[in-house]
Amino acid sequence: MTSTYASAYAAALSAAHDAAAGQNYPPGALYVVATPIGNLADITLRALHVLQLADVVACEDTRHTQTLLRAYGIDKSTAQLLAVHQHNEAQAAQVVIDRLHQGQRVAYASDAGTPAISDPGARLVAAVRLASLPVVPLPGASSVTTALSVAGIADEGAHHGEFVFVGFLSSKSVERATAITALGVEARAVVMLEAPHRIGALATALATLGERRLTVGRELTKQFEEIATFPASTFPDWLHHDPNRSRGEFVLVLHPAVVAAESGSEQRILKMLLAELPLKTAVKLTADITGASRNVLYEAALALKKEGG
């Protein structure tokens, strides 16, 4: 790390103390800490303060988290780091609970993003809650919400803004194909994750969904971040157009299904509602009924109003 970055993070630690130290951080509590998904600058001041304050940092990979802490100038000994990952989470949870009963503050951080979404942490949180001990969330970076924020799905489909998170699909071709067939009839948006060595197989499988739109986020927040939206059928071509596109971690948003209404039905419904309701209300109700885009309906409503004088 350059001296410029080191001094910047030292200043961030000081700012974190000033901004967050006045809050209450009770002992004997588990703090679930979101960490950056790639860009170190995406850490929150509150996360920095709690990571520094914690007696123990439980983490998915102690080596990864130690590197992360040192990047921010936070010094934790090896004894203060506790491995809690998918293979030992149930057993390690009891160790965490014992520490909490001793009045220690335990911070949990996965390798990247918000714990307990696709990373470990859910079993740990459940065990701590079952022991009637407090769990405190520290929100921050998440690949799921990051991808959704740039997919622009709010007005698409009949279920405006709703989504389903499925994480990583099966690596087995038959099970993956079965899952994608099911996703093809899911009306809501669907968020998926995938690793670089499996993205080609997933692209081929998703191509069977034809014209359904797909937003692909590659290396989100990192130097070579790439975000693109296209019909699912063209995903393999997009991927193979540039060999670099098969590198890095992927977050994918399958857009909501477009509800096919009878020809001209949106216009008829919109016209009837406009006769009785304000424009915005008529547009909203028509979109809810037909699944058509609110933006398209809004333009149509303006045109109908203009025609009617």
Side-chain angles (χ1 to χ4, degrees), residues 103-285:
Q104 295 185 11
R105 296 180 181 89
V106 179
Y108 180 72
S110 59
D111 285 351
T114 301
I117 306 298
S118 63
D119 294 336
R123 291 179 182 175
L124 172 62
V125 168
V128 171
R129 287 203 173 281
L130 191 62
S132 299
L133 292 163
V135 180
V136 181
L138 272 69
S142 166
S143 61
V144 176
T145 53
T146 299
L148 283 168
S149 72
V150 293
I153 63 168
D155 289 337
E156 294 183 6
H159 301 272
H160 303 304
E162 295 182 20
F163 69 92
V164 179
F165 175 65
V166 298
F168 291 90
L169 298 184
S170 174
S171 60
K172 298 178 180 178
S173 59
V174 174
E175 293 179 7
R176 182 175 55 239
T178 300
I180 288 175
T181 298
L183 295 181
V185 295
E186 169 59 65
R188 295 167 293 181
V190 180
V191 183
M192 294 164 276
L193 306 176
E194 194 50 277
H197 66 282
R198 293 182 1 186
I199 194 62
L202 181 61
T204 300
L206 284 172
T208 61
L209 299 183
E211 293 302 303
R212 186 142 173 197
R213 291 175 69 74
L214 182 71
T215 292
V216 177
R218 184 180 72 84
E219 292 288 82
L220 291 177
T221 79
K222 300 177 184 177
Q223 182 179 359
F224 299 108
E225 174 184 88
E226 189 170 9
I227 300 166
T229 299
F230 38 69
S233 60
T234 65
F235 189 12
D237 290 338
W238 178 87
L239 194 64
H240 297 142
H241 182 74
D242 182 351
N244 288 318
R245 286 179 175 165
S246 294
R247 300 175 181 174
E249 301 297 322
F250 289 82
V251 188
L252 306 100
V253 179
L254 183 65
H255 288 226
V258 176
V259 179
E262 295 180 10
S263 178
S265 64
E266 299 100 326
Q267 288 280 338
R268 290 196 301 273
I269 293 170
L270 181 60
K271 195 168 184 177
M272 286 188 293
L273 292 176
L274 280 171
E276 304 293 336
L277 298 170
L279 186 145
K280 287 186 178 180
T281 304
V283 167
K284 180 183 183 303
L285 287 175

Side-chain angles (χ1 to χ4, degrees), residues 76-117:
K76 296 290 182 186
S77 68
T78 302
Q80 290 179 287
L81 299 179
L82 174 66
V84 180
H85 46 72
Q86 62 177 339
H87 302 296
N88 77 340
E89 192 169 354
Q91 299 86 347
Q94 187 55 54
V95 177
V96 170
I97 290 169
D98 291 342
R99 298 290 189 104
L100 297 177
H101 278 306
Q102 295 168 24
Q104 295 185 11
R105 296 180 181 89
V106 179
Y108 180 72
S110 59
D111 285 351
T114 301
I117 306 298

